[in-house]
Amino acid sequence: MTTTDMPRPVDSDPGPSVSKTKKRPRTPGSGGLRRAVPATTLLWILACLYGLPVLWFILSSLKPASELFSYPLTLVPHDPTLSGFKAAWDSANFSQYFLNTALVCVITTILTVGVSCCTGYALAKYDNRWLKAFFLCILATTMLPGEVMLAPEFLVVRNLGLYNSFAGIILPAVLTATGCFMFRQFFLTVPDELVEAARIDGARELSIFLRIMVPVSRPIMLTLAILSFQWRWNDYIWPLLMLNDPDKFTVQIGIQSIVGAQNINWSVLLGASVISMIPLIAVFLVFQRYVMGADINAGLKD
């Protein structure tokens, strides 16, 4: 029996043809760009709202005294001058003020970062009910206004014999609830297995802290260092209470000494205020790339 392969007949009515339309290729990232435009616009608006007073402040320091209150007010000075800066620097011992403030800020920042790092590690990695109660007491201090604690702190420092000394300014500012909380929250993200593995390998607690925890917490250390330096540089009330020797005055007290009892030379005051901002801006510009560009979770794999 012979079989012959015959081709299948083609249907005469293939049915309705389905038209295929080509889809327009979507631009990569177009959806994300549309979503980012409103947020970016809002951020630029907020930046302008916050930056305009600072810009006005800096440009006003370049105006002569006769132009500061002229009507109508102008943003850009018609006759810019640096006489306010020169008069401010000559009217007060700013070089000594800067040296005193830098000494206080550097020592306080180093001690604050070190103490906060140790405290945050203990609160995060040791399971003890007394440590938890101690942490609640630290957080409770943030609920009290700073003015409430001025009187008891002053009495303690005076009774310790630290009045009118840099130590009386530095020691009360070393332990901060913000620093302890920052380090505790960071160390909680570090896997406990990393610490246990180091203990199994025979590492001691001090070695674990110095060789593992301190290196991975560098971004938090730099962030707290910038904040602590800013806090101490702008501190006014506590140094004003603790110091009565003009040779030990900080920058903020030196600026206050420019203000007269009857009248205020605004051009000199604005110049002195801008001078006091320069170290803070320099510190932020130098260390911001380490804070913003650092990978907090680098080397951590659970």
Side-chain angles (χ1 to χ4, degrees):
M1 182 176 179
T2 305
T3 59
T4 306
D5 294 335
M6 299 295 293
R8 295 182 61 186
V10 180
D11 295 336
S12 60
D13 187 9
S17 60
V18 180
S19 60
K20 297 181 178 180
T21 59
K22 294 183 179 181
K23 296 182 180 180
R24 296 181 60 184
R26 181 175 296 179
T27 305
S30 59
L33 181 61
R34 286 195 300 268
R35 290 192 297 268
V37 168
T40 305
T41 304
L42 178 61
L43 290 177
W44 274 108
I45 293 174
L46 292 176
C48 292
L49 291 177
Y50 280 95
L52 182 60
V54 178
L55 180 63
W56 190 297
F57 167 69
I58 295 176
L59 292 178
S60 297
S61 65
L62 300 175
K63 296 179 181 179
S66 59
E67 192 180 336
L68 283 173
F69 300 100
S70 61
Y71 186 82
L73 297 176
T74 57
L75 178 63
V76 181
H78 296 295
D79 187 16
T81 178
L82 297 177
S83 60
F85 295 92
K86 186 177 184 302
W89 189 268
D90 294 338
S91 62
N93 191 7
F94 261 93
S95 58
Q96 185 65 38
Y97 298 158
F98 269 82
L99 182 61
N100 297 339
T101 311
L103 179 65
V104 171
C105 290
V106 170
I107 295 177
T108 306
T109 298
I110 294 174
L111 293 178
T112 299
V113 172
V115 171
S116 299
C117 187
C118 297
T119 307
Y121 173 71
L123 294 174
K125 294 304 178 183
Y126 291 98
D127 189 11
N128 188 294
R129 61 179 181 178
W130 297 111
L131 285 177
K132 295 179 180 179
F134 179 64
F135 178 62
L136 292 178
C137 293
I138 294 176
L139 291 182
T141 60
T142 61
M143 305 177 188
L144 296 174
E147 293 78 5
V148 175
M149 304 178 65
L150 285 178
E153 284 184 359
F154 177 80
L155 294 176
V156 171
V157 172
R158 187 195 62 181
N159 293 336
L160 291 175
L162 300 178
Y163 179 73
N164 194 28
S165 65
F166 291 142
I169 303 176
I170 294 172
L171 293 180
V174 168
L175 184 62
T176 62
T178 303
C180 297
F181 181 78
M182 288 172 58
F183 276 98
R184 177 184 179 272
Q185 294 305 114
F186 173 78
F187 285 133
L188 286 177
T189 63
V190 179
D192 293 336
E193 289 80 1
L194 188 64
V195 180
E196 294 297 332
R199 289 172 179 167
I200 293 174
D201 291 339
R204 297 183 178 181
E205 295 299 321
L206 184 60
S207 179
I208 294 173
F209 175 72
L210 294 178
R211 296 186 179 182
I212 299 178
M213 293 301 174
V214 171
V216 300
S217 63
R218 187 182 66 172
I220 304 299
M221 296 175 69
L222 293 175
T223 303
L224 181 60
I226 293 176
L227 294 176
S228 177
F229 191 90
Q230 177 185 357
W231 295 336
R232 302 289 77 81
W233 189 274
N234 291 327
D235 197 4
Y236 170 70
I237 297 296
W238 184 245
L240 182 65
L241 293 176
M242 290 302 303
L243 301 176
N244 59 6
D245 186 0
D247 293 334
K248 297 181 180 179
F249 282 174
T250 58
V251 169
Q252 304 305 325
I253 304 178
I255 294 176
Q256 188 272 339
S257 63
I258 298 176
V259 180
Q262 301 297 330
N263 57 352
I264 300 175
N265 191 336
W266 289 102
S267 116
V268 176
L269 182 60
L270 289 173
S273 301
V274 173
I275 291 175
S276 68
M277 291 171 52
I278 295 176
L280 294 179
I281 297 175
V283 169
F284 178 76
L285 293 178
V286 170
F287 291 102
Q288 68 164 345
R289 66 189 184 95
Y290 296 102
V291 177
M292 296 180 179
D295 185 6
I296 295 180
N297 294 321
L300 300 182
K301 294 182 179 179
D302 196 356

